[in-house]
Amino acid sequence: MRLAVPTDLEPMEARLVEVLPREPGWQYEPKWDGFRCLVFRDGGEVELKAKSGKSLNRFFPDAVRTIAALPMKKLVLDGELLIAVDGSFSFEALQMRLHPAASRVAKLSAEQPATFVAFDCLLDARGKSLLAAPFERRREALETVFERTGEGDYFAPTPFTRDVKKADRWLKGAQVQTDGVIAKRLDLAYEAGERAMLKVKRLRTADCVVGGFRYESNSKLVGSLLLGLYDKQGLLHHVGFTSAIPAAEKAALTKKLEKLIWPPGFTGDAPGGPSRWSTERTGEWEPLKPKLVVEVRYDHVTGGRFRHGTKLVRWRPDKAPRQCTFEQLKGPAREPR
């Protein structure tokens, strides 16, 4: 490709902070939970690059076709690939695209087309690089792109606000399925590979049944709690774990848990046994009577499970285990307003 921006460009990243900056000169955008993607187009050539630098073309032929159909011949955009399933964005659907069989990828791309949500423009209408330009100018260039293309189901600009109070509402609003808020300085150049932006993650919590536990490695103290949620049929499914247990509380908690040991623990999906990656979180586990409820903080849900470990917020003796259902994890995919 003969573009003013190199196709091996590393995307600019964001540094995690606790609160959004509140002084003037910032723009706020939703932080989407998708696949980060740099889009390059030079005439009939289209290249989709993952954050790792690897090509995504073979896994997202639908997105390649979307970009190839745009009226501009030279284009470099930064954004996110998303797939909506049953009204919610699904990270699992994105992962399913990373399949070795082209026939499987073609089937999925036809059934569940991907959307590219653009949030930065790195090439102007004359084909000149905008890497050194302030973000405010790059956003104007992005708006110019969409003035020509229009906004569609599979190619859209990310919403934004420069009102920090509105950005606060995005963080707190349970009705919006996003991962948090990104803050960008309006005078910020595109600093490839640097954590030059700021991000604040949304605080999501769920009440879960403790369906089992694992001991610490080489210890008889509890190392992690295995979390469960009930489905509509009343089956308790393993959805993740929390190991954020204060050391001073482990001895007493271990005694409490050992009194509740009783199979099967989980009546639906259960934790796996030891593997070659075995740790205290993936080895043998002890099943418990479904008596204890904890509130945990989590970031992502994939395939009905917490993608990462969770943070224990508090015990919920006031909550009935049967009240801990998957309904807590559901959220619509509509954009912030």
Side-chain angles (χ1 to χ4, degrees):
M1 288 186 174
R2 301 180 64 183
L3 296 169
V5 175
T7 56
D8 61 353
L9 183 77
E10 292 185 63
M12 182 167 62
E13 299 195 53
R15 176 168 54 88
L16 183 65
V17 295
E18 293 294 323
V19 295
L20 292 170
R22 311 195 78 77
E23 65 271 17
W26 290 85
Q27 176 165 304
Y28 310 97
E29 301 172 1
K31 183 181 182 303
W32 302 104
D33 182 22
F35 280 1
R36 183 75 176 275
C37 179
L38 289 172
V39 165
F40 300 88
R41 182 183 178 187
D42 183 12
E45 274 190 276
V46 173
E47 187 66 58
L48 309 180
K49 286 289 188 73
K51 188 161 61 173
S52 64
K54 294 181 179 179
S55 175
L56 291 170
N57 283 33
R58 69 178 301 268
F59 304 115
F60 293 91
D62 47 334
V64 171
R65 289 191 294 270
T66 295
I67 300 302
L70 299 176
M72 56 281 301
K73 297 302 180 184
K74 290 184 181 289
L75 190 66
V76 181
L77 300 175
D78 191 357
E80 200 102 356
L81 286 168
L82 304 170
I83 295 178
V85 178
D86 296 329
S88 293
F89 293 127
S90 170
F91 194 82
E92 184 181 24
L94 288 166
Q95 290 179 311
M96 289 172 64
R97 287 291 192 92
L98 306 181
H99 198 282
S103 58
R104 178 64 174 166
V105 172
K107 182 175 186 293
L108 291 173
S109 63
E111 293 174 349
Q112 298 170 343
T115 296
F116 180 75
V117 177
F119 45 67
D120 213 331
C121 183
L122 307 182
L123 208 66
D124 70 13
R126 296 173 295 173
K128 293 187 176 181
S129 171
L130 291 173
L131 293 178
F135 173 63
E136 187 170 27
R137 183 181 165 199
R138 300 200 308 274
R139 180 70 201 202
E140 291 170 357
L142 185 64
E143 298 293 341
T144 300
V145 168
F146 283 94
E147 285 173 7
R148 292 187 64 188
T149 66
E151 181 178 342
D153 290 337
Y154 307 119
F155 183 64
T158 194
F160 75 91
T161 183
R162 292 174 185 170
D163 179 355
V164 69
K165 292 183 179 178
K166 186 172 184 179
D168 286 337
R169 292 196 292 273
W170 286 354
L171 278 174
K172 298 173 183 176
Q175 77 281 7
V176 180
Q177 192 188 56
T178 58
D179 188 35
V181 171
I182 296 285
K184 303 176 181 179
R185 291 199 327 269
L186 294 176
D187 62 355
L188 180 69
Y190 193 91
E191 299 183 18
E194 300 295 327
R195 293 191 180 276
M197 305 177 289
L198 302 179
K199 62 182 177 183
V200 177
K201 288 194 173 184
R202 298 186 67 209
L203 301 180
R204 299 182 176 100
T205 64
D207 295 322
C208 298
V209 178
V210 181
F213 74 96
R214 289 190 172 107
Y215 289 106
E216 288 180 330
S217 181
N218 301 317
S219 170
K220 291 303 290 182
L221 293 177
V222 59
S224 60
L225 304 177
L226 305 181
L227 309 174
L229 292 174
Y230 284 101
D231 65 15
K232 292 180 179 178
Q233 287 70 46
L235 297 176
L236 183 64
H237 296 274
H238 176 235
V239 295
F241 71 93
T242 184
S243 56
I245 305 167
E249 299 176 12
K250 287 189 175 183
L253 179 57
T254 302
K255 291 181 180 179
K256 182 177 182 178
L257 295 173
E258 288 176 337
K259 292 178 181 178
L260 294 174
I261 293 176
W262 193 266
F266 296 94
T267 52
D269 296 334
S275 73
R276 64 194 181 100
W277 307 109
S278 184
T279 68
E280 71 275 8
R281 295 181 303 203
T282 59
E284 295 291 346
W285 58 283
E286 304 296 332
L288 297 178
K289 294 178 181 178
K291 299 289 187 182
L292 302 176
V293 174
V294 289
E295 181 182 358
V296 297
R297 182 176 297 160
Y298 66 94
D299 53 6
H300 301 287
V301 174
T302 300
R305 289 174 54 88
F306 302 128
R307 200 187 311 166
H308 306 121
T310 66
K311 178 179 176 58
L312 196 157
V313 177
R314 57 177 173 159
W315 293 89
R316 293 297 306 268
D318 57 316
K319 189 91 178 238
R322 286 282 180 169
Q323 294 177 304
C324 301
T325 69
F326 279 99
E327 294 298 315
Q328 299 173 86
L329 308 186
K330 292 185 177 179
R334 67 183 182 84
E335 293 180 348
R337 299 298 180 193

